[in-house]
Amino acid sequence: MELTGVEFDGPLAQRGIGVIAPFDLALERELWRWAPLEVTFHLARTPFEPLPVSLEMAQRVSDVAALQTATRELLGVEPEVVAYLCSSGSFIHGRDGEVALADAIRAAGAPDAVTSSGALAEAVTALGLQRISVITPYDAPLTDRLVAFLGELGVEVVTAQHLGLGGGIWRVNYRTVAELVCAADDPASEALFVSCTNLPTYDIIDPLERDLGKPVLTANQLTVWSCLDRLGLPMMGPGRWLGEVFGR
């Protein structure tokens, strides 16, 4: 047998993205939909915490020592960037706390670092957003922390809608998320942000952007595209306005 077919010339040169995920992440498949074929995600998880989604959980899953341990566990496969894939854990201590988390991941050996809330800050700045609406699956106190984080970025939250869930966020269906987005929309808001990397959003972004006529930003979309931008790779998946931010 002569191995002459092009299929034997592969696989594509692999580009690795390390991902530190909260222990309860259940949407790994959604991450892959955002990335081109040559990208591989290498996942590590924070330690299990028997707590409901809350301020306390957000503080626990953003423990610096745990994130640095997870970073070192990923270094053996040589990721080009390591992402902390968690909205609440990266906004819980404000903008300075988010910057400190990214610095800690780099200090543990990552070539570069991204957090979900840091990616949100990049998009808000690049799009010049001053007023947005937010949608979260959290309770009111945790949602308020997101509002405060955006305030530090100079962004006014016009409306905020939350589901008040303490767990099982990955089970929320698209219709529920879309209804919450539509309820949060306001003529004064320039964009909408759907928080939480464990909330399904992929297939509803395009129809919502088309119907509402404004950006619909989501946590997984922002995080993955911020990583791809650092790797100089093309963006994949829905998001009309974000393509202009991250260089599609």
Side-chain angles (χ1 to χ4, degrees), residues 44-83:
R45 290 176 180 265
T46 62
F48 173 72
E49 299 286 354
L51 296 168
V53 177
S54 59
L55 290 171
E56 184 178 2
M57 180 191 277
Q59 291 165 348
R60 295 275 191 94
V61 299
S62 59
D63 176 73
V64 168
L67 297 190
Q68 290 192 315
T69 296
T71 300
R72 288 188 284 268
E73 290 172 353
L74 292 167
L75 295 181
V77 290
E78 301 179 355
E80 295 180 52
V81 60
V82 172

Side-chain angles (χ1 to χ4, degrees), residues 104 214 240:
K214 61 184 67 174
R240 172 181 162 191

Side-chain angles (χ1 to χ4, degrees), residues 157-176:
V157 174
V158 179
T159 58
Q161 293 281 339
H162 64 277
L163 287 171
L165 298 179
I169 291 171
W170 66 90
R171 298 190 183 99
V172 177
N173 61 43
Y174 278 158
R175 186 173 299 279
T176 297

Side-chain angles (χ1 to χ4, degrees), residues 39-214:
V39 165
T40 295
F41 292 107
H42 308 290
L43 267 75
R45 290 176 180 265
T46 62
F48 173 72
E49 299 286 354
L51 296 168
V53 177
S54 59
L55 290 171
E56 184 178 2
M57 180 191 277
Q59 291 165 348
R60 295 275 191 94
V61 299
S62 59
D63 176 73
V64 168
L67 297 190
Q68 290 192 315
T69 296
T71 300
R72 288 188 284 268
E73 290 172 353
L74 292 167
L75 295 181
V77 290
E78 301 179 355
E80 295 180 52
V81 60
V82 172
Y84 176 42
L85 187 81
C86 183
S87 295
S88 62
S90 55
F91 67 61
I92 187 68
H93 295 299
R95 180 59 164 156
D96 287 346
E98 183 280 320
V99 171
L101 290 179
D103 287 344
I105 291 170
R106 282 188 286 266
D112 202 352
V114 169
T115 77
S116 295
S117 297
L120 171 61
E122 291 175 24
V124 162
T125 300
L127 291 172
L129 300 176
Q130 296 180 316
R131 296 176 302 279
I132 71 172
S133 296
V134 299
I135 298 91
T136 86
Y138 319 132
D139 60 15
L142 193 50
T143 301
D144 288 343
R145 289 293 184 95
L146 171 58
V147 173
F149 177 84
L150 286 162
E152 290 188 64
L153 301 177
V155 178
E156 174 191 354
V157 174
V158 179
T159 58
Q161 293 281 339
H162 64 277
L163 287 171
L165 298 179
I169 291 171
W170 66 90
R171 298 190 183 99
V172 177
N173 61 43
Y174 278 158
R175 186 173 299 279
T176 297
V177 179
E179 288 173 348
L180 212 63
V181 170
C182 291
D185 187 33
D186 186 281
S189 64
E190 300 163 328
L192 300 106
F193 171 60
V194 185
S195 189
C196 190
T197 56
N198 220 9
L199 190 66
T201 58
Y202 187 94
D203 293 296
I204 60 175
I205 293 172
D206 270 349
L208 284 171
E209 288 194 338
R210 182 178 61 248
D211 292 346
L212 298 176
K214 61 184 67 174

